[in-house]
Structure formats: C-alpha cells, structure tokens
Amino acid sequence: MTDLRQAFASTENLIVAPGQLLLASGPRTGMAVLLQDGRFAEIAEAADLRTRHPGAGWIELPHHLMMPGFIDTHTHLTQSLGKSLVFGEPSEIFRRIWVPLEGSLDEHMVYLSSKLAALECLRGGFTAAVDAGTRSAGHVGRLADAARETGLRVVIGRICNDLGGSAEIADRHTILRTAEAHLAQYDGDPLIHPSLAISIPEAASDRMLRDVSTMAVEAGAIFQTHVNEHLAAVERSLVAGGRRPLEHLAHVGALGPQTLIAHSTLVTPSELNILRDTGTAVAYNPVASVWKGNAVAPALQMQALGIRFGLGTDGTRSDGFRLMDAAESLQRVSYGLASGDSSCGAGWLWLEAATRMAADASGLAAVTGASRRVLPPISCWWTSTGPNSPPPTT
Ligand SMILES: [Zn+2]
C-alpha cells in the first residue's frame, strides 16, 4: 500500500489497471483508470487507455477490486470520545451525552476528535462523510483541518440553532451572518463542502428553519436536521403544534431537494408522501437504530416510492461493509420476514445506497459516488491519503 501511495503522489499521468473495476453495470475485467493530478480523469478499456496515453505511468493490480468510495451520509466527527457511552441508553441521548460532551470540547479536542473520526472513516472504506455539525462552541475550522489532513471529503454542517441544543446560542443576526461566512469560506473548496444545520426542529424558531433552509438552496448547499427519530420528540411536536416534526418542517417551508433528514425512523404513510413530493433526502442509519433509536426507517418503502436516501453511521462504527450488511439485515428483520420478501433489495441496492445514492443525498453527486466511463472524477476507497499525501482523489 505504501508503494501505491507513492505512485499516486506522482503528478504525472498514471494508469491503474485493477483485476476488477466496479462500474454502474457491475464488475468488469480488462478496464483501467487514468489518474491526472490525483483525480480520476478517464475510465476505459486498459489497452485503449495505454494506447492513447503512451507517456503515462502504469500500475497493474490483478488482485484488487477498484470501486467508488463509500459515503457516510450522516455522522458526527466530534462525537469520537463518547461512543462507549451510547449503547443501550434510553432515547434522546443527545440531551444527556452529546450536547454536554461536544459543548466541553475546546479547540484542540475538536481537532483530535475529528481527526480520529476521519481516520476511522478512511479505514472503513469511506472517502466522504457528511458531518451534521458540531455542538461545540465554534472551532468548526479545526474540524475542517482534521478532515483535510486525512484526505477525507467532508460536508460540514454549521449549527444554526436559535432556541437551544448547542454550546452557544447567538442572536438571530449573528447566526445568519455566521452561516453566510461558513458558506463563503468553503465555497469552491476541492475537499470541504459547507452546509447548514439545525440539530432538531424544536431547537430553532419557524423563521430560522425556513431562512436557513432557503439560504442553503441559494448557496447550492444542503440543509441538515434530525427528524422523527425518537417517540418523545414526535409527541412533543404534536403537543406543541399539532404536527409531527416532519409535518412541521413541511409546514414552515424547510423541506426540499436541499434538505437532508437524518433518521426518519418514525414516519407515517403521509409523511413518506411528503418526503417524496418535496424531493427531500434521508440518511438511513441502521446501526444507529440498533444502538440508540426507537425504530428502523422503512428504507425499502422509501426506495419503492422514489424517496432519495443514502446510508449513514450517525457516528456509530465507521465500517462501510458492515453498514451495508446492517442496512439489509434490519430491513429483512423489520419488514422482509413479515411480508415474505426474501430479497429485501438484494446486495446491489445497499451498495448503491452507500455510494451513488449517498452522493446524491449528500449533495456530492457531481464529484463522487459512481464509476462512469469517461466522466467526472470519482472516488476509490483504497486511495486514502495521509498528512503528507497529494490532493486526494475523492
Ligand atoms: Zn446524528
């Protein structure tokens, strides 16, 4: 692997010919990839690429599969130090663990936690991840530094809560100004993608929910929030306003293709229709359901309805292969066994949900998530890079 890293560090054109190349149509032999400046420039038959680029370097990897990198559609890089506390807890652990823990992180600890999480992502096959926003008192820049140093592509949410649920709650004007600065700071960044977030709908006013979601649309960014995960939150929302959280977001105008909803485990048929009709995306987090959730998101039903979704870890374990396994297994146990569905999407759906579909839900479809022949740069899961490595290929 060290030799591969050195080869990829070269600024010269490089052709990599794996034993199998995973394309959208399935695994193929005899194919190769042209790397230019650390990015995937072209995919074609190996012999053809070599003929057309005679000066390029050449690496054969006959015992390797080359495939798109996994994308974690929902995680929290600043929760690394609390994983051992969450399993088996009653619901809404964010109140007892995450908000206090993240709020206690100083600048250095934000960096260390994020660095550890980013390295775990790469080890588990993820070349990109969507961070839902740290609840620490600022220091988002150190989170970005940690991701950049590891070579992990990251969508970073900036928390915009104006009613609570974070270490610092500023006034409305300051929140919006900070959000604008966050979007501008990483605009055009090759590896860091800015995003806006509100932890849960009840952590923000209706006006803030709508304004932040709209701001994300105008910036071409995604808007993130956690919705319909815990029964207690659904019931509070009903008591407070007569609407379930997802219905509330629709009511205030915060849903749309720019919005990425984490969880959506407790969804009614009409809420599924809302997700479909608004083009809202969902992060299906199966391991999080096992560790701490109230239910399992009906991902197969979402797929059948055409609802956009990808797989997420929610900061549990960063292992892309086990995540796909959990995604299928939970659908089988929760829905397939009861209906005699012996397929439950089969392996292809969950591979798609961890790559191409995850890229779409994360707002990254233009830069990663799929292997296409002679099309824009894609990711390769084993091209994880270290601090001294060249710009990553993800
Ligand atoms: Zn989360």
Side-chain angles (χ1 to χ4, degrees):
M1 188 61 77
T2 300
D3 290 343
L4 285 179
R5 286 181 178 172
Q6 289 174 348
F8 292 150
S10 169
T11 56
E12 299 175 359
N13 289 354
L14 180 67
I15 298 173
V16 181
Q20 299 270 349
L21 181 65
L22 188 65
L23 299 177
S25 57
R28 292 279 305 277
T29 59
M31 303 293 291
V33 175
L34 173 68
L35 302 181
Q36 287 181 330
D37 297 325
R39 303 182 74 88
F40 284 53
E42 199 172 334
I43 296 175
E45 277 79 12
D48 178 43
L49 265 188
R50 207 166 188 186
T51 300
R52 289 190 290 107
H53 302 278
W58 173 262
I59 293 180
E60 287 188 60
L61 299 170
H63 304 298
H64 285 71
L65 165 74
M66 183 179 275
M67 59 176 282
F70 295 132
I71 299 163
D72 187 345
T73 313
H74 178 74
T75 192
H76 300 262
L77 298 184
T78 55
Q79 292 183 355
S80 296
L81 307 178
K83 288 186 181 183
S84 63
L85 301 174
V86 304
F87 196 97
E89 279 282 311
S91 66
E92 297 202 312
I93 60 170
F94 62 90
R95 296 181 183 280
R96 301 182 300 282
I97 297 177
W98 297 133
V99 173
L101 183 145
E102 292 181 64
S104 73
L105 300 179
D106 62 16
E107 189 172 5
H108 185 57
M109 292 306 293
V110 164
Y111 169 77
L112 287 181
S113 177
S114 302
K115 189 75 173 283
L116 174 59
L119 289 169
E120 287 181 342
C121 284
L122 293 177
R123 182 183 63 178
F126 294 99
T127 53
V130 179
D131 186 89
T134 181
R135 300 175 176 100
S136 65
H139 317 311
V140 176
R142 296 300 284 152
L143 189 158
D145 290 343
R148 197 188 302 279
E149 287 175 10
T150 59
L152 181 71
R153 181 181 298 282
V154 182
V155 178
I156 300 179
R158 175 79 200 192
I159 297 283
C160 299
N161 300 357
D162 65 343
L163 295 182
S166 185
E168 54 182 8
I169 304 298
D171 62 86
R172 171 182 169 79
H173 177 70
T174 302
I175 290 172
L176 294 178
R177 194 181 61 215
T178 304
E180 283 182 355
H182 178 70
L183 293 171
Q185 181 175 357
Y186 300 107
D187 183 35
D189 192 294
L191 204 59
I192 308 297
H193 304 263
S195 160
L196 301 180
I198 287 174
S199 305
I200 54 177
E202 59 193 298
S205 62
D206 295 355
R207 188 179 174 199
M208 184 62 75
L209 284 165
R210 182 176 55 251
D211 288 354
V212 169
S213 183
T214 301
M215 189 182 294
V217 174
E218 293 171 348
I222 62 168
F223 165 60
Q224 304 180 60
T225 186
H226 296 74
V227 180
N228 288 41
E229 180 184 17
H230 300 296
L231 186 58
V234 172
E235 292 181 338
R236 278 198 306 273
S237 181
L238 282 166
V239 170
R243 295 184 179 87
R244 297 162 64 89
L246 202 47
E247 294 171 335
H248 178 65
L249 287 179
H251 177 70
V252 302
L255 296 182
Q258 79 282 5
T259 303
L260 174 59
I261 297 294
H263 303 297
S264 290
T265 52
L266 299 164
V267 282
T268 63
S270 62
E271 285 176 306
L272 287 171
N273 287 343
I274 290 173
L275 289 170
R276 178 198 60 198
D277 295 344
T278 57
T280 300
V282 173
Y284 165 36
N285 309 311
V287 181
S289 286
V290 175
W291 283 25
K292 62 182 182 60
N294 281 140
V296 175
L300 280 173
Q301 184 69 20
M302 292 178 182
Q303 170 72 4
L305 289 171
I307 295 169
R308 302 162 56 225
F309 75 90
L311 303 188
T313 65
D314 197 16
T316 52
R317 62 182 179 225
S318 292
D319 184 324
F321 295 95
R322 294 180 72 191
L323 181 64
M324 291 188 295
D325 184 13
E328 179 175 347
S329 297
L330 288 199
Q331 291 302 303
R332 189 178 301 280
V333 171
S334 302
Y335 306 103
L337 294 180
S339 59
D341 180 357
S342 58
S343 170
C344 288
W348 276 110
L349 173 62
W350 309 111
L351 179 59
E352 283 274 290
T355 53
R356 182 189 60 78
M357 292 162 61
D360 172 59
S362 305
L364 297 175
V367 291
T368 189
S371 302
R372 307 177 186 88
R373 298 184 64 164
V374 200
L375 272 181
I378 61 170
S379 306
C380 173
W381 76 268
W382 44 262
T383 58
S384 54
T385 54
N388 300 316
S389 299
T393 58
T394 55

